[in-house]
Amino acid sequence: MDDQRREVAAGGYPFNCAVLDDVTFRADGEDLAEGGVEDLFGEMAPALRRFGVTLRIRTVCGNGDEEGYVLDINGCRFPVLDADDWRYNSPWLEATVRPLAVVNDLLAAAGTPVRVFTLYAGENDGLALLLDPAVVHTVRRSGLVDDRNTPELPRPNRDR
């Protein structure tokens, strides 16, 4: 931990350290939009269990179906994408933030302060990180890391 503090104090990036390896997940927006949310959640499952969340997930409809891409997460249906997202929204972004926002609701219900944050949401190099919001707030307030490289909470388009 002291090595990480020294690295950050010297200008190193605080969200690229070994202590975060088991809570950092590749969240490629294109892969997620093409049906990869179950894979991402499968990778996240062990870490989420440590924070009191057990995911039961199945695909109800895939992108080729008229209903769009819909998941059942712990017994509730959640739309990931529909036809309008491919025409009017950013499907890669929405396929990243919508499911991760659901996970944040489950984390809140479990009573843990940890939340899923994203970096480069909707891009091919997107990441999902399980972090305490206080850490992100401190980094943001420090001004040492620009906004693009600071994790943020997933915020889906709520106009649905």
Side-chain angles (χ1 to χ4, degrees):
M1 191 66 111
D2 288 335
D3 288 342
Q4 292 163 347
R5 284 190 184 114
R6 280 192 294 277
E7 183 180 337
V8 170
Y13 182 62
F15 299 107
N16 187 22
C17 51
V19 74
L20 296 178
D21 284 351
D22 64 341
V23 294
T24 301
F25 308 93
R26 186 173 174 273
D28 179 304
E30 182 177 12
D31 291 347
L32 297 174
E34 293 175 354
V37 175
E38 278 188 271
D39 293 337
L40 172 61
F41 282 2
E43 292 172 23
M44 294 177 74
L48 289 169
R49 277 193 295 275
R50 287 196 311 270
F51 296 110
V53 172
T54 300
L55 288 179
R56 294 176 315 281
I57 180 171
R58 71 178 177 85
T59 300
V60 176
C61 310
N63 280 332
D65 298 329
E66 277 187 29
E67 293 180 61
Y69 181 15
V70 179
L71 298 177
D72 181 295
I73 303 172
N74 292 6
C76 296
R77 289 173 61 114
F78 293 96
V80 176
L81 292 173
D82 60 29
D84 284 344
D85 290 319
W86 289 99
R87 285 188 290 252
Y88 305 115
N89 295 320
S90 172
W92 292 9
L93 177 64
E94 295 303 327
T96 302
V97 298
R98 285 180 185 149
L100 293 177
V102 172
V103 172
N104 277 340
D105 291 343
L106 295 170
L107 287 163
T112 181
V114 170
R115 296 293 180 270
V116 179
F117 285 80
T118 60
L119 271 172
Y120 322 119
E123 298 178 21
N124 289 118
D125 57 350
L127 296 173
L129 301 95
L130 291 167
L131 300 168
D132 186 319
V135 172
V136 176
H137 177 72
T138 299
V139 169
R140 188 175 311 276
R141 198 176 64 223
S142 76
L144 296 173
V145 178
D146 64 31
D147 285 344
R148 171 157 168 69
N149 294 306
T150 302
E152 56 187 41
L153 287 170
R155 302 201 189 284
N157 178 358
R158 297 290 185 182
D159 298 335
R160 297 177 50 78

